[in-house]
Amino acid sequence: MKILSTDGVEDMIAWLPHGHAFTIVNPTAFTSTLLPMYFKKTKFTSFTRKLSRWGFVRYTKGLKSGAYHHKWFQRDNKSLCLHMRCVQNKKPAVARQNP
């Protein structure tokens, strides 16, 4: 949420007008400028995978196409983020067998 509250980043990442989703306006600038400031991994695909693990959904149709949404991530309501949980890998671990 802090990254979206930073002044001067609207040309890279911005809230949608209703404040219930955000969009990455310029992925190249976002990856080279903002990601290194807030995250260890600086690849855009790694960032989008992380969003998915935290339960964000990407809109694929309509006016919101390309935007990311999570029911507990809303502008001006930081306390909702406390309900967010990272989703663990859903694939069961495969036991290794000794030959």
Side-chain angles (χ1 to χ4, degrees):
M1 179 148 320
K2 186 175 181 180
I3 196 169
L4 283 157
S5 301
T6 305
D7 289 333
V9 299
E10 298 81 14
D11 59 333
M12 293 178 266
I13 186 171
W15 287 105
L16 292 186
H18 54 65
H20 292 205
F22 68 92
T23 187
I24 299 171
V25 180
N26 185 337
T28 304
F30 175 77
T31 302
S32 63
T33 306
L34 289 178
L35 276 185
M37 293 171 63
Y38 294 93
F39 300 96
K40 292 180 184 178
K41 302 283 184 185
T42 57
K43 292 184 180 179
F44 187 71
T45 53
S46 297
F47 176 75
T48 57
R49 258 192 315 273
K50 188 172 287 218
L51 288 176
S52 180
R53 283 186 53 213
W54 278 90
F56 282 86
V57 177
R58 186 171 181 255
Y59 290 110
T60 58
K61 295 181 181 179
L63 296 174
K64 300 177 191 175
S65 181
Y68 294 90
H69 164 76
H70 190 292
K71 68 178 179 180
W72 301 119
F73 192 80
Q74 298 177 13
R75 178 180 52 211
D76 301 327
N77 203 343
K78 293 179 183 181
S79 63
L80 288 178
C81 290
L82 298 174
H83 299 287
M84 295 175 70
R85 299 289 179 255
C86 185
V87 178
Q88 297 299 319
N89 189 355
K90 293 181 180 180
K91 294 180 183 178
V94 176
R96 298 178 82 188
Q97 296 179 1
N98 292 332

